[in-house]
Amino acid sequence: MHRDSNNIKDPSLVIVFIVLLAVLLALFTYLKQPATDASESLISLSTAQALPLDIELSSLPSHEAEWVDVTFPFHWRNEFTDTRAVWYRLNLSASQVETLLSNKPASDSLLGMYIWRLNQTADVWVNGVKIGSGGRTQAPMARYWNSPLYFSLPISSLQQNNQIHIKHFSESSWGSMEPIVIGAQSELKPLYDKRAFVQHDIALSLFSFVLTTGFLCLMVWFYRRQNSEYLWFAIASAGLSFYCLNQFIRYLPVSADTWRWFSNVSIDLWAIATFIFGLRSLEIHKPRAEKLALLFLLSGIPIYFYASFFEHYDINIFYHIGALAFGGYGFLCTILCYKETRKPLAAFYACVVIIILAAGAHDTLMQAIVNNGWREGSSLGFQNHFNSIHFFAPLTFLAIGASLIKRFIDSMNEADRLNTSLEKRVEDARQELDENYKAIEKVLIKQSANEERERIYRDLHDDVGSKLLSLFYRLENESDSVLAKSALEDLRDIVSQKSLQSCHLNDAAAQWHDEIHERARDAGISLSWAFDDGGHSVTLSEKQHSHLRRMLREVLSNALLHSKQIKEMSISMTVSESTLSIDVANDGAPKPVSDWVVGRGISNLRVRSRDLDGEFDIHDLDDSWIKVSWRIPIQLSSKEQEPSI
């Protein structure tokens, strides 16, 4: 592989980058829209009273003198530092109720209450009646730091003057609450759905994508250890995946402090691994810079531990600036690399670094303002923003992954060009030899196949057949006896080669009916048989005859073996101009098809249907009935296939 192929001026990287910019621009335009609509029909409640006590609703009257006035957005760190719950009391006046009811569509019987950002969860009461909960309030506590909350509000619960109580839960005095929005459900619910989709659903999808990309790169590195950039890209993907996971996970598998520690370490792991990946990918030799970056990463582990477990959270913000600094240095290295070598890949990486640095700076500042309460949490318009990294980073990783795939494809194309002439000469020689021995080889193969088939048939008849017959007469259990008889019939067919012969469908159906009727009678079940050839004369090939016979036997055996309460079975065969349809249904199914563990029997049925270019399906009917169906094309080929050994 020629690693210098990056020097070639390939417009594909430019195209990838233009597409990436277009996607990011569209995403930014979509994300920058405000979280709440300015419609006059929506009421925004931003003034309230707060009580920092973890008590029940019934106990609030005894603490009337302790309520304090607050304004949303409100951050606990500004006022309360020693509580896990804060009560808010808000008033919804008669005029506001009149505005809501007069502006709502006539078809709406519900209003909605929308909390578009809070940390971590909340329960809501209206006029003393609980209308909703955000989830578990004990450890592990529900996390809505990156997701909105929505509650339906029945119009019947409203009075002339209304009082709303919100019990807001958070850990480590980390709570924050935004203005409460109330409006018609038809108008407010779409706002909630949009924000939930952006902050939760997209994050979940991007997490899966990034994790898969990292795993693929890890596999590439495992087989090509000399290309260490794939390893560092996989490590960066792992760090980014954990950060994306942090965006949507609702209940933590570990303590909140431990999770916060891991989350901050994963951000630096992603940044440092991406930095080293860029250097290795562009063949920029900076061993000291790489060692310094790894030292920074390792030193951050105890620092983030201290900040997370001892509640000095501002340290996290400042230390992440170091990761941004390495990103800036990586950007400088890519610019210098492009200036010296004119590698398009270097320019591409430089643009990607700019995008990630801008998103990282935005998120660092936003978290400091929105979640940490810096500058009273309302400056610079961050209240309507989204976290950008978990959108922009996976998309840029997609572009980087495309460049890695392109490098691999270029290498494969080069190898193909080098091997073309050699393969042509080898193929010419092979073709000449094949033509000389083709006739002889065909005769020898056919003769050997026939001899081996006859030997196997004799051995099966003499050895296995006698043992199956003895087993059939010795078995006392009826179901086991039926199964042994079925196996003996299969063996007789193989030895006599009846199932390998082509025949008319009418004759085959008669054979199948006699056999199935006998087995059903022995098992004590009622059989309903229906056959309609539609007036067509159909001849089954050897392959079709053999496969359909075995499929019917397998379905019957499965029904007798697994449906212990079976009493009835129905079989229907119909012929259209080009399709043979077979439906087998029986009662007594012990459990739904969705709960079955697929075994070899069902797998064989699917394989045989596929071999016949048909379709296979199994599904539940009413009252413990199940139905197995397959559709087989009955158009005959011009030449019948020889049966395989």
Side-chain angles (χ1 to χ4, degrees):
M1 177 188 299
H2 294 290
R3 299 289 298 275
D4 292 337
S5 60
N6 290 325
N7 291 318
I8 301 175
K9 295 184 178 180
D10 193 335
S12 59
L13 285 177
V14 179
I15 296 175
V16 169
F17 185 69
I18 292 175
V19 172
L20 175 63
L21 282 181
V23 172
L24 293 179
L25 180 61
L27 181 61
F28 179 77
T29 303
Y30 178 80
L31 295 181
K32 78 171 187 175
Q33 300 177 15
T36 57
D37 201 326
S39 172
E40 296 180 356
S41 62
L42 301 181
I43 301 298
S44 180
L45 304 178
S46 58
T47 59
Q49 292 179 306
L51 180 64
L53 292 177
D54 187 8
I55 58 177
E56 298 299 324
L57 179 68
S58 59
S59 302
L60 293 181
S62 61
H63 298 272
E64 185 64 31
E66 301 176 39
W67 290 88
V68 296
D69 294 332
V70 296
T71 301
F72 298 140
F74 177 73
H75 300 271
W76 292 12
R77 297 187 68 190
N78 297 337
E79 301 288 342
F80 312 128
T81 58
D82 57 353
T83 182
R84 64 181 295 274
V86 172
W87 282 94
Y88 301 114
R89 183 168 62 188
L90 305 93
N91 294 315
L92 187 64
S93 65
S95 61
Q96 290 174 323
V97 172
E98 183 180 356
T99 300
L100 290 172
L101 297 181
S102 62
N103 290 322
K104 78 173 187 66
S107 59
D108 272 8
S109 61
L110 293 173
L111 298 177
M113 180 180 296
Y114 176 35
I115 306 176
W116 61 272
R117 186 194 289 272
L118 79 160
N119 190 22
Q120 288 178 254
T121 187
D123 296 341
V124 180
W125 289 259
V126 175
N127 296 325
V129 178
K130 189 173 184 179
I131 65 169
S133 172
R136 183 179 175 89
T137 59
Q138 302 296 327
M141 186 181 295
R143 303 168 74 242
Y144 284 89
W145 76 273
N146 192 50
S147 299
L149 272 178
Y150 182 87
F151 304 103
S152 294
L153 179 59
I155 297 178
S156 59
S157 65
L158 296 179
Q159 304 170 4
Q160 186 173 6
N161 291 294
N162 303 270
Q163 197 168 71
I164 300 173
H165 286 91
I166 300 177
K167 190 175 184 182
H168 181 195
F169 298 88
S170 186
E171 297 176 340
S172 305
S173 301
W174 199 258
S176 63
M177 176 68 71
E178 300 299 321
I180 311 302
V181 183
I182 300 177
Q185 180 162 274
S186 61
E187 187 172 1
L188 200 56
K189 189 64 162 56
L191 297 177
Y192 163 79
D193 291 337
K194 171 188 171 182
R195 192 169 189 90
F197 171 75
V198 171
Q199 291 186 306
H200 183 275
D201 299 348
I202 292 181
L204 175 60
S205 301
L206 293 178
F207 162 78
S208 303
F209 159 72
V210 173
L211 194 63
T212 301
T213 302
F215 178 76
L216 293 177
C217 286
L218 182 64
M219 291 297 98
V220 173
W221 170 80
F222 182 80
Y223 291 103
R224 295 187 61 83
R225 304 290 181 86
Q226 68 274 23
N227 298 128
S228 60
E229 63 268 25
Y230 289 97
L231 172 63
W232 286 107
F233 188 83
I235 295 174
S237 298
L240 181 58
S241 297
F242 191 92
Y243 177 76
C244 291
L245 177 66
N246 189 47
Q247 306 297 308
F248 64 84
I249 189 170
R250 185 71 69 231
Y251 294 99
L252 299 179
V254 295
S255 68
D257 292 334
T258 302
W259 185 265
R260 192 176 294 111
W261 176 36
F262 289 167
S263 179
N264 283 284
V265 171
S266 71
I267 295 174
D268 285 353
L269 175 64
W270 165 63
I272 297 305
T274 302
F275 166 71
I276 297 178
F277 159 75
L279 297 181
R280 300 286 179 90
S281 180
L282 296 174
E283 297 181 333
I284 301 175
H285 302 288
K286 298 286 184 180
R288 291 184 179 179
E290 292 183 4
K291 291 179 181 178
L292 183 62
L294 292 175
L295 180 62
F296 169 82
L297 177 63
L298 294 176
S299 62
I301 296 176
I303 292 176
Y304 291 131
F305 178 86
Y306 173 79
S308 299
F309 284 87
F310 294 91
E311 301 184 6
H312 294 282
Y313 304 118
D314 290 344
I315 295 178
N316 297 333
I317 302 297
F318 290 112
Y319 201 77
H320 283 319
I321 296 176
L324 291 176
F326 276 103
Y329 180 69
F331 170 73
L332 178 62
C333 291
T334 56
I335 289 296
L336 294 176
C337 177
Y338 177 74
K339 184 177 179 180
E340 294 176 1
T341 64
R342 296 297 176 181
K343 291 181 179 180
L345 189 60
F348 174 70
Y349 284 174
C351 295
V352 167
V353 170
I354 291 177
I355 295 173
I356 294 178
L357 282 176
H362 169 274
D363 287 2
T364 300
L365 185 58
M366 186 185 73
Q367 293 305 320
I369 291 177
V370 175
N371 289 339
N372 292 23
W374 287 13
R375 303 188 62 171
E376 299 182 354
S378 59
S379 300
L380 304 180
F382 279 109
Q383 295 304 317
N384 293 331
H385 283 215
F386 296 85
N387 288 306
S388 300
I389 281 290
H390 78 274
F391 294 111
F392 288 10
L395 291 175
T396 54
F397 264 46
L398 171 62
I400 295 175
S403 70
L404 293 177
I405 294 174
K406 178 183 178 301
R407 175 185 296 182
F408 175 77
I409 293 175
D410 288 344
S411 301
M412 295 300 296
N413 289 338
E414 184 178 357
D416 289 342
R417 287 193 298 269
L418 294 175
N419 291 331
T420 298
S421 59
L422 177 61
E423 290 178 353
K424 183 64 170 59
R425 292 194 296 268
V426 172
E427 182 61 27
D428 290 342
R430 183 185 296 115
Q431 184 175 1
E432 184 178 356
L433 291 174
D434 288 343
E435 291 176 353
N436 293 334
Y437 291 99
K438 186 175 181 180
I440 298 176
E441 182 181 10
K442 183 177 180 180
V443 173
L444 291 177
I445 290 176
K446 185 174 181 179
Q447 181 180 355
S448 299
N450 290 333
E451 293 175 356
E452 183 66 11
R453 184 185 299 113
E454 292 299 327
R455 185 190 65 79
I456 293 175
Y457 288 163
R458 290 194 300 270
D459 292 344
L460 286 174
H461 181 271
D462 296 339
D463 299 336
V464 181
S466 60
K467 293 178 181 179
L468 282 175
L469 186 60
S470 299
L471 181 62
F472 170 73
Y473 288 111
R474 291 180 183 179
L475 287 174
E476 298 179 359
N477 184 282
E478 182 178 354
S479 62
D480 293 341
S481 178
V482 170
L483 187 62
K485 184 177 181 180
S486 174
L488 186 59
E489 290 173 351
D490 289 342
L491 179 62
R492 287 172 176 172
D493 283 347
I494 293 174
V495 173
S496 64
Q497 299 190 46
K498 288 193 301 181
S499 63
L500 298 177
Q501 299 172 356
S502 61
C503 69
H504 289 288
L505 177 59
N506 289 355
D507 297 334
Q511 297 172 7
W512 300 337
H513 173 267
D514 293 341
E515 175 185 339
I516 294 174
H517 182 270
E518 182 180 356
R519 291 187 63 185
R521 182 192 59 200
D522 293 342
I525 65 175
S526 174
L527 175 65
S528 173
W529 178 277
F531 173 75
D532 182 11
D533 60 6
H536 300 283
S537 177
V538 180
T539 300
L540 298 178
S541 67
E542 296 176 354
K543 185 176 182 180
Q544 290 173 325
H545 186 197
S546 173
H547 277 28
L548 292 175
R549 186 184 189 93
R550 285 177 169 82
M551 291 172 75
L552 284 169
R553 285 180 176 174
E554 180 62 28
V555 170
L556 179 59
S557 297
N558 280 344
L560 296 177
L561 179 63
H562 298 293
S563 301
K564 302 299 183 181
Q565 305 299 322
I566 184 173
K567 295 180 179 180
E568 299 179 69
M569 171 174 285
S570 65
I571 299 177
S572 172
M573 297 185 187
T574 58
V575 177
S576 65
E577 293 183 358
S578 60
T579 304
L580 170 62
S581 302
I582 301 179
D583 300 308
V584 182
N586 67 269
D587 65 352
K591 54 186 176 180
V593 174
S594 58
D595 295 335
W596 289 12
V597 177
V598 178
R600 184 176 297 275
I602 294 180
S603 299
N604 287 343
L605 290 171
R606 296 187 187 278
V607 171
R608 292 186 187 278
S609 296
R610 187 178 66 240
D611 289 345
L612 296 177
D613 297 325
E615 299 176 353
F616 175 84
D617 179 57
I618 180 170
H619 59 274
D620 296 302
L621 299 176
D622 296 334
D623 299 327
S624 75
W625 278 74
I626 61 171
K627 182 178 180 181
V628 182
S629 306
W630 57 91
R631 309 287 180 265
I632 304 299
I634 55 176
Q635 296 177 355
L636 299 179
S637 60
S638 59
K639 180 179 181 181
E640 295 181 349
Q641 299 179 355
E642 289 289 336
S644 58
I645 297 295

